[in-house]
Amino acid sequence: ERLFETDPDRARTELANLRTAVAATFQKVKGFILNLRPMMLDDLGVVPTLRRYVDSFSENTGVATHLLVTGKERRLESHQEVMIFRLIQELMNNAVEYAHAANIQISLDIGDDLVQVSVEDNGGGYDLTTPNSPDIERLGLNTMRERIEMLGGQIYFDSAPGRGTKVSFELPI
């Protein structure tokens, strides 16, 4: 405010910089809220929420991310939708943060009594052959397995250094 009295041009420049910073912060906060628990998940279900999340993720990271949905698109139990969304979200983030992937393919098939999900990336891959590999711990793979098995499902990890990663899981519905 004092600058407006002494140097109006500089004050306008500072104000423009402040607006830009506030807008960027607002976008980050919106992203954090979406990542915590998208309201769409409760309102519309896992498929529309994933579609929006994948588009936003691709736009924000620059990683080509594609979602293919097959089967009968319908609402699932709330805890199942949250689990599916969270696992896909975590796998996408792992692909970018740790594997430096440039492309992520997500497949979601909703069958009559089984949901099958596959997340595949073209990143650097991981060593998953050693039981206590640092990659397994860092990526939270044991935790993913426990969460899926708690709901009666199974999860499969396929990766090797230099050839990307494919994680598939299935849940009974």
Side-chain angles (χ1 to χ4, degrees), residues 126-143:
Y126 311 101
D127 172 18
L128 302 181
T129 58
T130 311
N132 292 322
S133 159
D135 285 337
I136 291 174
E137 188 62 36
R138 177 175 53 139
L139 300 171
L141 303 186
N142 288 330
T143 304

